[in-house]
């Protein structure tokens, strides 16, 4: 890493190359949002919307306090930079960078739990947002809070600092209620069906598991003073590479250790159900609606499902990036067929969305060679992603008497990915999944029994899917095809 180039910070903004957009940090800058899970996606998506909303309103009081869930890497990246970082956007039209300044503070939850709780309880904070990934919500197979999870149990006991996202959220809300009881909006930005209702339910589960004298009044206050709108977020944000940092350094004229990379496209649909003031996100392009569900279904079943199909089939074939997989005519044809033949018939079209155009835009975005979105990165957490991205489509098509052949191929590719552990070039395939040990055990054994053993993983497949001879047969065909063509 080049260290003789000055690092971006409040003191070096004046050294940034002319023409680069720099987010203004106003004199009245103050924290108004606490964000749990300040990874690359949040910094490339919600933080950008929030900065533009503040600029549109002419206010600075919606600054973000970002909370790291596990690693302190973001603290080390953004702390010395006063929260400033760049977003590198690239497409066939070229590459550009902008500097974002809406993140005012980054707190490592494991090291400063009292500060996290204090920030959520601060009356000036009116919004808590979350991007903790599907697995970060610690749900059991029924979708309820996993009360047997060791971290959840520790958070319920309350003898130490909270270690789970829901634990940190609820303990912060509890302190807020104790101090003043001001209303607050909790907004999930993760890829979960009905994510607002999911978080509402998990918070209620946590309260119900507390001693009644503690949990019942908290539950009542949450019900009256906290809103949980659902939202749908969309922007492709691949992992940042050293080459990306070098390119940004050329464009900025300063070094940026907190750089994130993103495609030009972005979308945010939010249920218009807030407990109090929120930033003017709609003035930054966000869509406020009474019903997020149709948008959510379109994104999960067209974009996310197709992303997973390309990730597993592409990784198995030896492709490093999604864009490389899209250049394989066979795989791009499968991606097109999954959307058009399997997913599209299950969707209700939002009034302002042309689904034909949407499908074409998805394929064009995936083919963007500048992003270098790794297939193995998209393949992470398959046990959590498949149920929300693919299995709903499978279930709906089976109930309609149809054969979801392409969705089943994606599921088959996931099974082969788990079982074979190496791609067509002999390179190892990482299995980064909260159920990794369970999946490896299920995949071990003769390939002839792979489908049956994997379908028996009840955390992924419900009885309706496990017992479907049509689904089982389609997966078996896909597994056979993938094993032969590897």
């Amino acid at each position: 890493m080049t260290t003789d180039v000055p690092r971006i910070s409040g003191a070096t903004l004046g050294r940034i190359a002319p023409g680069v957009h720099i987010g203004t940090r106003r004199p009245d800058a103050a924290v108004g949002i606490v964000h749990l899970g300040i990874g690359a996606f949040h910094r490339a998506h919600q933080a950008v919307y929030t900065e533009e909303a503040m600029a549109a309103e002419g206010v600075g009081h919606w600054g973000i306090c970002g909370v790291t869930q596990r690693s302190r890497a973001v603290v080390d990246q953004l702390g010395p930079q006063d929260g400033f970082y760049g977003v590198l956007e690239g497409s066939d039209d070229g590459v550009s960078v902008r500097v974002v300044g809406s993140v005012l503070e980054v707190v490592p939850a494991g090291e400063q739990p009292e500060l996290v709780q204090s920030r959520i309880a601060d009356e000036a904070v009116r919004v808590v947002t979350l991007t903790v990934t599907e697995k970060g919500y610690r749900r059991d197979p029924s979708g309820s809070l996993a009360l047997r999870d060791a971290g959840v149990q520790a958070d319920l006991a309350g003898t130490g600092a909270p270690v789970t996202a829901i634990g940190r959220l609820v303990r912060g809300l509890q302190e807020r209620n104790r101090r003043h009881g001001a209303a607050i909006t909790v907004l999930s930005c993760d890829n979960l069906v009905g994510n607002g209702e999911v978080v509402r339910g998990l918070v209620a589960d946590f309260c119900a598991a507390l001693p009644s004298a503690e949990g019942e009044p908290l539950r009542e206050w949450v019900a009256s003073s906290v809103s949980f709108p659902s939202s749908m977020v969309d922007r492709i944000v691949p992992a940042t590479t050293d080459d990306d940092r070098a390119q940004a350094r050329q464009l900025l004229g300063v070094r940026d250790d907190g750089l994130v990379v993103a495609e030009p496209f972005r979308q945010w649909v939010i249920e218009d159900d807030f407990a109090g003031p929120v930033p003017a996100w709609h003035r930054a392009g966000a869509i406020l609606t009474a019903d997020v569900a149709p948008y959510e279904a379109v994104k999960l079943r067209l974009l996310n499902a197709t992303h997973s199909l390309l990730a597993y089939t592409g990784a198995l074939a030896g492709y490093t990036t999604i864009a490389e997989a899209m250049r394989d005519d066979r795989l791009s044809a499968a991606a097109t067929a999954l959307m058009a033949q399997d997913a599209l018939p299950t969707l209700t079209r939002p009034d302002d969305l042309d689904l034909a155009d949407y499908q074409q835009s998805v394929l064009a975005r995936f083919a963007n060679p500048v992003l270098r979105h790794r297939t193995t990165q998209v393949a992470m957490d398959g046990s959590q992603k498949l149920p929300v991205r693919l299995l709903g489509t499978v279930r709906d098509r089976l109930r309609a008497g149809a054969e979801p052949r392409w969705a089943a191929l994606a599921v088959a590719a996931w099974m082969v990915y788990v079982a074979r552990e190496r791609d067509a070039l002999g390179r190892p395939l990482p299995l980064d999944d909260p159920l990794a040990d369970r999946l490896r055990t299920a995949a071990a054994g003769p390939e002839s029994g792979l489908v049956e053993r994997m379908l028996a993983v009840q955390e992924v497949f419900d009885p309706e899917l496990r017992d479907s001879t049509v689904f089982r047969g389609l997966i078996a065909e896909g597994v056979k095809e993938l094993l032969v063509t590897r």
Side-chain angles (χ1 to χ4, degrees):
M1 177 181 294
T2 303
T3 58
D4 57 349
V5 178
R7 191 167 174 181
I8 189 173
S9 69
T12 62
L13 291 181
R15 303 184 64 166
I16 291 176
V20 173
H21 174 83
I22 303 174
T24 302
R25 188 172 287 177
R26 295 171 53 89
D28 62 340
V31 171
I33 299 171
V34 172
H35 181 78
L36 302 182
I38 183 166
F41 183 82
H42 170 74
R43 295 178 352 246
H45 189 272
Q46 296 105 52
V48 175
Y49 276 99
T50 299
E51 178 168 87
E52 292 181 358
M54 285 193 287
E57 285 187 281
V59 301
H61 61 259
W62 291 115
I64 298 166
C65 168
V67 178
T68 64
Q69 293 296 105
R70 297 182 301 276
S71 167
R72 63 168 287 120
V74 182
V75 178
D76 296 335
Q77 290 169 357
L78 298 190
Q81 299 184 176
D82 301 321
F84 289 100
Y85 62 93
V87 179
L88 187 71
E89 297 182 3
S91 69
D92 290 335
D93 295 329
V95 178
S96 64
V97 67
R98 64 180 293 171
V99 175
V100 178
S102 55
V103 176
L104 303 185
E105 179 181 48
V106 183
V107 180
E111 299 172 29
Q112 296 179 284
E114 298 85 1
L115 182 55
V116 175
Q117 182 172 289
S118 178
R119 285 288 181 266
I120 295 175
D122 187 346
E123 193 166 4
V125 169
R126 306 307 296 269
V127 180
V128 175
T129 54
L130 303 91
T131 49
V132 298
T133 74
E134 295 93 335
K135 63 185 176 185
Y137 289 93
R138 308 286 181 106
R139 297 190 295 167
D140 64 22
S142 73
S144 300
L145 188 65
L147 297 177
R148 295 183 179 180
D149 179 271
V152 172
Q153 290 181 347
D155 289 354
L156 287 168
T159 54
V163 297
T164 70
I166 295 299
R168 287 170 181 143
L169 172 62
V170 175
R171 292 304 184 184
L173 293 175
Q174 189 174 32
E175 178 65 13
R176 187 181 185 89
N177 182 33
R178 187 190 68 78
R179 289 189 189 181
H180 49 75
I184 191 168
T185 296
V186 175
L187 179 60
S188 171
C189 300
D190 281 299
N191 283 327
L192 297 168
V193 177
N195 52 19
E197 286 304 310
V198 168
V199 179
R200 185 198 306 274
L202 296 176
V203 169
D205 290 344
F206 194 100
C207 293
L210 292 169
S212 59
E214 178 184 10
E216 186 57 25
L218 178 59
R219 184 198 64 78
E220 292 177 355
W221 174 78
V222 168
S224 64
S225 302
V226 184
S227 69
F228 298 87
S230 290
S231 77
M232 184 279 284
V233 298
D234 190 6
R235 194 173 202 185
I236 296 174
V237 182
T240 306
T241 67
D242 288 341
D243 287 344
D244 295 326
R245 295 185 186 93
Q247 187 169 32
R249 188 165 59 243
Q250 291 294 321
L251 294 170
L252 290 168
V254 295
R255 185 174 118 235
D256 180 6
D257 290 356
L259 180 77
V260 293
V261 180
E263 64 174 334
F265 178 92
R266 57 179 173 152
Q267 186 181 30
W268 196 5
V269 183
I270 311 170
E271 183 182 3
D272 192 358
D273 178 25
F274 306 118
V278 298
W281 286 314
H282 63 287
R283 296 180 66 177
I287 299 171
L288 302 184
T289 180
D291 187 9
V292 173
Y295 297 91
E296 175 185 76
V298 166
K299 193 247 182 171
L300 287 171
R301 296 191 177 195
L302 293 180
L303 185 141
N304 292 128
T306 307
H307 221 185
S308 289
L309 169 67
L310 289 167
Y312 294 118
T313 57
L316 287 169
Y319 297 124
T320 302
T321 69
I322 295 295
E324 289 173 359
M326 279 294 294
R327 291 197 289 271
D328 184 314
D329 291 342
R330 181 173 51 91
L331 300 189
S332 63
T336 301
L338 170 58
M339 288 192 288
Q341 298 178 26
D342 288 352
L344 192 62
T346 73
L347 298 173
T348 299
R349 183 181 69 83
D351 292 338
D352 57 352
L353 197 61
D354 185 311
L355 293 183
D357 288 346
Y358 184 89
Q359 291 173 81
Q360 290 303 310
S361 74
V362 165
L363 296 173
R365 291 165 63 194
F366 288 164
N368 183 350
V370 178
L371 290 179
R372 299 190 296 276
H373 204 180
R374 291 181 292 107
T375 52
T376 53
Q377 181 188 359
V378 181
M380 291 171 55
D381 301 331
S383 69
Q384 312 294 298
K385 293 176 177 177
L386 261 64
V388 295
R389 295 183 175 197
L390 284 155
L391 299 187
T393 292
V394 170
R395 195 175 292 108
D396 286 350
R397 295 302 284 152
L398 290 174
R399 290 174 180 175
E403 293 188 354
R405 182 170 306 279
W406 303 104
L409 176 64
V411 176
W414 169 71
M415 292 181 177
V416 175
Y417 181 99
V418 173
R420 296 306 292 268
E421 300 182 348
R422 292 189 177 275
D423 67 15
L425 304 177
R427 298 174 301 187
L429 294 171
L431 181 58
D432 189 343
D433 193 290
L435 298 181
D437 292 341
R438 173 86 171 86
L439 297 175
R440 286 194 183 97
T441 298
E447 291 179 345
S448 59
L450 175 63
V451 174
E452 294 295 335
R453 294 194 304 273
M454 294 296 284
L455 282 174
V457 179
Q458 63 181 2
E459 294 91 340
V460 179
F461 301 102
D462 62 21
E464 179 181 359
L465 295 181
R466 284 199 303 272
D467 296 341
S468 170
T469 56
V470 173
F471 184 44
R472 190 184 309 114
L474 290 172
I475 296 177
E477 289 179 17
V479 166
K480 182 178 179 180
E481 175 185 347
L482 290 164
L483 292 176
V484 169
T485 56
R486 283 183 74 254

